[in-house]
Amino acid sequence: MPDSLPTRNGGQILVEALRRNAVDTLYCVPGESYLPVLDALHDVPTIRTIVTRHEGAASNMADAYGKLTGRPGICFVTRGPGATHAANGVHTAKQDSTPMILFIGQVEGGFIGREAFQEVDYRQMFGGLAKWATEIDSLERIPEIVAKAFAIALSGRPGPVVIGLPEEVLFGAGAVADAEPVKIARAAPEAAALAELQQLLNTAQRPLVVVGGTGWDAAACQALRRFVTANNLPVAASFRRQDLFDNRDPHYVGQLGLGVSPKLAERVREADLLLVIGSRLGETVSNGYTLIESPQPKQTLVHVHPDPQELGRVYQARLPILSSLSLFAAALEQLPAPAQRPWKAWCESARADYLAHSTPPQAHPQLIGVDLAQVVAHLDQVLPEDALIANGAGNYTVWVHRFYRYRQARTELAPTNGAMGYGFPAAIAAKLCQPERTVVCFAGDGCFMMYPQELATAVQFGAPLVVIVVNNGMLGTIRMHQEREYPGRVSATELRNPDFVALARAFGAHAECVERTGDFPAAFERAQAAGVPALIELRTDPRQIGPQVRLD
């Protein structure tokens, strides 16, 4: 070890490793188990520390950061209860393929195995939830383990890494050399695979492109769009990946997920060639593996994915292609368009079906309160090109995904694992990360109440987003299933809510309640002009359980 190396404690060594890997923001709830890290951050102004009011919110914010930037979202929580709270965001990052690193304080190494205060075996707890779960067992290995964490979080199919930090490692001191910033290798499509794809496209009659997954950037999305335009192909987005392809483009035909158009679902079944780029074709996208059957689909399947462990895991594709999505999109542009493209009418009718499905229907004549379809349609008209829409989980999201037309990559923040409460913390993270953009969050009354205390975080750190709380006084998704399975036997799905306006104002936010559809545009203008976090409560009809489905 060179004599010139300074003596530093574990917290300082760890924070330097983060700085070297271009970390500019981290999310946390402070804990005594990682005090040396907090102290080291005091001397590194290039890393912004966002203190949340709940560890679940912190991990969701880290996931949102990972989705927006393509770099790992960093989260620190304390041992035991802090770790269990933060597990929510780890599950989201795993199923959503989001790069993320969760650091957790741990008890002293000499106490492990005695069920010490707040002791948890993180390898066991997160072993099936994260891409990698480990603990740093010595001061000297901090740079090595952190570098490996970045590499795993970003390589192949991105995902979360969990690292335990024993107290003696953080509080201990020594002369330790730093590691170089991590470089990530990317797989490129083989020439033979591209040639076979060209042959399959030349013989197709009813092709359909399905886009999804993570690892896209603006250049890749534009390359994909040029390929689609040159070949006049219809494009569908997988669940909550609608922002990967401009919904206003004449080739976009809808989303495969909750609330899928029946006509689009049938079109997937009728397709003779599916070019699936990035999507895992999970349960939601495949409608319980019925639209695309496992293990051998009826359609000719070309499956492109950056992770070799995903290819062949659920589906036996006719042509599996291992490639990063950005390199594959660039390669697509080099393929010559087929001389004959017999799917012109197929593409046009798919687009017409999408336009009909995504146009708000007439409100039910007995509708009371706000028509959510008209609210979403208004935002679709007035929001800027790069506006970001965030949401959590619940039936209210069906309106958002159906009637809002996403324009650009990274304008949709939504959990594919269906995590309630995700939208509001994610929206705060988005506004803090990219303050120049308009950020709007949709949340149901049940969804918002998962993390309402994060209004304090939004106010404290200056995140003037707008959150729209859709209040129907119940857990709508569960009530819908309940009425289907046990008609008329309402149990555990009714909600008694607070005064949302008073609650938001108590935190220092702008807030108002809208009870009529026509009052929303002016209320939204006032919320945007407030200059502080804003909440708009929408009173909606509890009987309107979907855009065209009523409980009665």
Side-chain angles (χ1 to χ4, degrees):
M1 186 71 63
D3 295 335
S4 60
L5 288 176
T7 297
R8 298 172 294 176
N9 67 32
Q12 293 169 317
I13 297 169
L14 175 55
V15 169
E16 176 59 18
L18 297 180
R19 189 194 67 79
R20 284 171 171 258
N21 282 283
V23 171
D24 57 18
T25 306
L26 63 82
Y27 309 89
C28 74
V29 174
E32 71 275 17
S33 62
Y34 65 95
L35 280 175
V37 173
L38 296 173
D39 181 71
L41 288 168
H42 185 273
D43 297 326
V44 184
T46 57
I47 299 179
R48 188 180 188 187
T49 302
I50 306 299
V51 180
T52 69
R53 302 307 176 95
H54 192 283
E55 290 91 351
S59 62
N60 282 325
M61 289 185 190
D63 173 89
Y65 179 95
K67 283 184 170 69
L68 280 176
T69 66
R71 304 194 305 273
I74 306 298
C75 182
F76 277 84
V77 298
T78 199
R79 60 196 174 215
T84 54
H85 283 166
N88 181 287
V90 176
H91 183 262
T92 300
K94 177 63 182 298
Q95 292 220 328
D96 288 32
S97 304
T98 309
M100 173 181 169
I101 305 176
L102 173 67
F103 292 95
I104 310 171
Q106 179 60 295
V107 302
E108 291 184 34
F111 297 165
I112 290 177
R114 296 177 176 177
E115 196 178 343
F117 179 61
Q118 297 182 331
E119 180 185 352
V120 172
D121 184 336
Y122 301 128
R123 290 188 179 94
Q124 184 178 39
M125 175 182 171
F126 290 100
L129 202 58
K131 282 189 73 176
W132 183 43
T134 190
E135 265 180 30
I136 300 178
D137 56 12
S138 70
L139 187 79
E140 291 75 18
R141 298 196 66 191
I142 292 175
E144 170 201 344
I145 298 297
V146 172
K148 183 177 179 180
F150 274 86
I152 290 176
L154 288 166
S155 298
R157 176 188 170 188
V161 171
V162 176
I163 301 178
L165 304 170
E167 282 194 19
E168 74 276 12
V169 172
L170 292 183
F171 280 89
V176 177
D178 295 308
E180 292 299 313
V182 169
K183 296 179 180 179
I184 305 299
R186 307 289 185 190
E190 296 179 340
L194 292 171
E196 186 174 351
L197 169 59
Q198 182 68 59
Q199 292 175 357
L200 292 173
L201 193 58
N202 287 340
T203 58
Q205 298 291 313
R206 298 177 304 280
L208 178 65
V209 178
V210 178
V211 296
T214 56
W216 296 87
D217 54 24
C221 290
Q222 289 302 317
L224 173 66
R225 188 174 182 181
R226 288 189 290 269
F227 165 76
V228 165
T229 301
N231 290 272
N232 195 29
L233 293 166
V235 178
S238 60
F239 183 47
R240 293 181 169 167
R241 306 295 192 189
Q242 291 165 255
D243 59 344
L244 294 177
F245 199 90
D246 190 340
N247 298 183
R248 302 164 303 176
D249 187 285
H251 300 91
Y252 180 77
V253 299
Q255 65 95 20
L256 297 171
L258 302 180
V260 62
S261 162
K263 290 187 177 181
L264 177 57
E266 187 59 29
R267 197 169 296 276
V268 174
R269 293 188 182 95
E270 294 176 350
D272 63 356
L273 174 63
L274 291 177
L275 173 54
V276 179
I277 310 173
S279 174
R280 295 189 298 112
L281 297 179
E283 177 190 356
T284 305
V285 177
S286 65
N287 192 21
Y289 308 101
T290 61
L291 299 183
I292 308 162
E293 296 179 7
S294 172
Q296 291 186 324
K298 294 179 180 178
Q299 310 92 329
T300 298
L301 175 61
V302 178
H303 196 183
V304 184
H305 203 274
D307 193 335
Q309 295 186 13
E310 190 61 41
L311 295 171
R313 185 172 68 89
V314 179
Y315 294 97
Q316 295 176 1
R318 166 72 176 272
L319 175 59
I321 300 178
L322 177 66
S323 176
S324 79
L325 303 185
S326 58
L327 292 178
F328 181 76
L332 281 179
E333 283 197 278
Q334 307 307 313
L335 297 181
Q340 302 296 323
R341 286 170 286 177
W343 50 77
K344 181 175 184 292
W346 161 265
C347 183
E348 290 175 350
S349 61
R351 176 63 180 178
D353 290 342
Y354 164 72
L355 292 175
H357 185 69
S358 61
T359 300
Q362 290 292 323
H364 191 280
Q366 297 179 359
L367 181 79
I368 60 174
V370 175
D371 182 355
L372 187 53
Q374 294 301 324
V375 167
V376 177
H378 174 74
L379 294 178
D380 185 62
Q381 292 297 316
V382 303
L383 289 181
E385 292 283 301
D386 65 345
L388 194 149
I389 305 294
N391 63 260
N395 267 26
Y396 71 92
T397 65
V398 175
W399 276 269
V400 181
H401 300 329
R402 178 169 172 178
F403 301 123
Y404 189 81
R405 293 172 184 171
Y406 297 85
R407 289 93 153 140
Q408 297 180 8
R410 296 176 178 170
T411 57
E412 180 179 23
L413 276 179
T416 69
N417 72 332
M420 286 183 67
Y422 175 88
F424 186 45
I428 296 171
K431 190 63 178 177
L432 294 176
C433 179
Q434 299 175 352
E436 73 284 357
R437 295 176 64 184
T438 298
V439 177
V440 177
C441 170
F442 279 90
D445 46 348
C447 191
F448 179 74
M449 287 301 291
M450 294 285 180
Y451 297 113
Q453 71 278 1
E454 298 309 321
L455 280 165
T457 305
V459 171
Q460 178 177 348
F461 290 95
L465 74 157
V466 179
V467 55
I468 297 171
V469 178
V470 183
N471 182 6
N472 64 358
M474 65 180 179
L475 296 169
T477 300
I478 312 307
R479 177 68 183 278
M480 177 183 68
H481 293 302
Q482 191 174 66
E483 291 287 350
R484 185 187 66 232
E485 301 293 336
Y486 307 102
R489 294 174 59 81
V490 180
S491 176
T493 52
E494 294 181 340
L495 297 176
R496 181 172 180 177
N497 289 313
D499 182 333
F500 287 112
V501 171
L503 177 69
R505 288 175 177 171
F507 283 101
H510 169 89
E512 53 187 290
C513 179
V514 173
E515 300 185 73
R516 298 186 305 172
T517 305
D519 294 337
F520 175 76
F524 184 72
E525 281 191 33
R526 290 190 292 270
Q528 282 193 297
V532 295
L535 180 148
I536 300 176
E537 176 190 354
L538 302 182
R539 298 283 178 87
T540 61
D541 193 335
R543 297 169 298 174
Q544 197 70 39
I545 205 69
Q548 292 176 292
V549 181
R550 287 173 65 85
L551 288 177
D552 52 3

